[in-house]
Amino acid sequence: MKLGSPFRPRLLSAFLISIFLGSAPATPAQERGELRIATSYKLMTLDPQYANLNENTSLLSHIYERLVYQDDNLELKPGLATSWRPLSDTQWAFKLRDKVRFHNGSAFDADDVVYTIERIRDFLKPPSGGFRSYVSGIKSVSAPDPLTVLIETDGAVPNLPLFFSSIFVMNRPSEGFETTEDLNAGHPPNGTGPYRFESWSSGESLRLARNDDYWGGKPAWSKVTFRVIENPAARVAALSTGEVDVADAIPARDVASLKERGARVASVGAARVNFVQFNVARDTLPGVTDKSGEPIANPFKNPLVRRALTLATDRGILVDKILAGYGTAAAQVFPNGLPGTSANLLPEAPNYDEAKRLLAKAGFPDGFNLVLAGPAGRYPGDAESLQAVAQSWARIGVNAQPAAAPFSVFNTKRAAGDYGVWYGGTSGEAVDIILHALLASPDPERGTGALNFGKYRNEAFDAMLARAESIAVGPERNAALAQATELVMADQPIIPLYHFHHIVGYGSRIGSYVLHPRGWTTAMQTLPAME
């Protein structure tokens, strides 16, 4: 059982860094024709700023690029911006990369960055505009020269460069703003990335061609085709028969059989967490009763109950049995070793005797009944995880009835407050972004608590998180985030379960595949086999 296995930062050579920056330059012996990828990601739009979803981030990153990017240790690296620095608490200067061209031949410059920010902040409206929170604090943006961008914010935004690691830069049109409808209807996507757009069939395929003029060096593949295959078994079959060269989101149960058929597998701990979350706000909860079926006062308001259920959760079964070892038991929101995590937080083995003692002390010596909700088919092992957690809790007298539903149904009911306790998952660019959304007190004005469906509130944690967020990205900020995490995890508003591993399979035409903890699937991570 991988209890507390740390995320081990890897030192990347300049060659591997170039994979994540854009595309590894190909040598003549490495150049290949078409790369065929079977992906679970279903690209629904060609607008790179419409929705902040992994499917868009992965696929459109071939065409578009960011000012800043995150390497596989989630450290910030230069992208289209070569450097950045704060001029004051509310002013930043970004220096841009010279001699970069868009696919239509126009030169990339500061006006394109100004357009990108203004389009997200001022033009895109809900339900689009999934990136607006990253630029909502920008008061003004200007271009004093073609390779300099000056940004003034309403207040201190010390992690502004991190926000830009999520935003694709678009080319300023001759007038106005491009609409999402125009981009989807035939305006060819025009970025600076290593591959050019060829064709797209929504929900079916995306075809790309090499950008021979790419500033980062000639990409390895002349063409790239993504086939959307949502069924995991069908993706595995396509890789096994050689129909595709790469298949993402491989179920752990299929790894052994793939290897037997000659495929290779790469995996990495995901920069995300799957967890159990409690509703701690309401006086009574749907599905929570005594053993006779009568409603009871909300037991999750009592931290002793939350602690008891944490001690009664066997993460080892989840990791070893359900995830077949392709996961790491969790005690915080990111795998240990990533920036902002605490080395002091390690997952505990179950202690049923202590859990029973705490439950009795909280006034529930005989336990109680509850409905444990969760999505089915959203995450690796989600429905099975519900069953396993229910079996663990039964050992201390808490009878949990698993209730798995399609994610759309589950998500709607969770937001409506129809559940008392549920299983979920989330990911983000950094620890503070998850803490901000999942555990900070809900506050629409501050934008905190967007995923805090349990309405948990902890003023001391809020203050510590706000202080951490006021510090510039670096070791001091990471230490402050770790301390805030230690404080809130001691109160158990959630039970971190595991960080599942991203698993990708690849065939004989592929020399290596370098996974990223954000779970992206790109041609740039795929190196051809040497002849």
Side-chain angles (χ1 to χ4, degrees), residues 162 173 370 409 524:
L162 176 65
L370 59 83
V409 175
M524 292 81 79

Short mmCIF file of all heavy atoms in Angstrom, two decimals, residues 162 173 370 409 524:
data_model
loop_
_atom_site.label_atom_id
_atom_site.label_comp_id
_atom_site.label_asym_id
_atom_site.label_seq_id
_atom_site.Cartn_x
_atom_site.Cartn_y
_atom_site.Cartn_z
N LEU A 162 1.28 32.72 -12.46
CA LEU A 162 0.63 31.41 -12.42
C LEU A 162 -0.68 31.43 -13.19
O LEU A 162 -1.01 30.48 -13.92
CB LEU A 162 0.38 30.97 -10.98
CG LEU A 162 -0.38 29.66 -10.79
CD1 LEU A 162 0.42 28.48 -11.33
CD2 LEU A 162 -0.73 29.44 -9.32
N PRO A 173 -7.45 40.24 -34.14
CA PRO A 173 -7.97 40.42 -35.50
C PRO A 173 -7.91 41.89 -35.90
O PRO A 173 -7.58 42.76 -35.09
CB PRO A 173 -9.41 39.93 -35.38
CG PRO A 173 -9.77 40.17 -33.94
CD PRO A 173 -8.50 39.99 -33.16
N LEU A 370 -26.50 6.38 6.67
CA LEU A 370 -26.35 7.50 5.74
C LEU A 370 -26.34 6.99 4.30
O LEU A 370 -26.12 5.80 4.04
CB LEU A 370 -25.07 8.30 6.03
CG LEU A 370 -23.72 7.58 5.96
CD1 LEU A 370 -23.18 7.49 4.53
CD2 LEU A 370 -22.69 8.29 6.85
N VAL A 409 -25.95 14.22 -13.27
CA VAL A 409 -27.01 14.10 -12.26
C VAL A 409 -26.44 14.38 -10.87
O VAL A 409 -26.99 15.16 -10.08
CB VAL A 409 -27.66 12.71 -12.31
CG1 VAL A 409 -28.68 12.55 -11.19
CG2 VAL A 409 -28.31 12.49 -13.67
N MET A 524 3.34 16.60 -28.13
CA MET A 524 4.62 17.12 -27.67
C MET A 524 5.23 16.25 -26.57
O MET A 524 6.42 16.34 -26.30
CB MET A 524 4.45 18.55 -27.17
CG MET A 524 4.11 19.56 -28.25
SD MET A 524 2.35 19.55 -28.68
CE MET A 524 1.65 20.52 -27.32
#
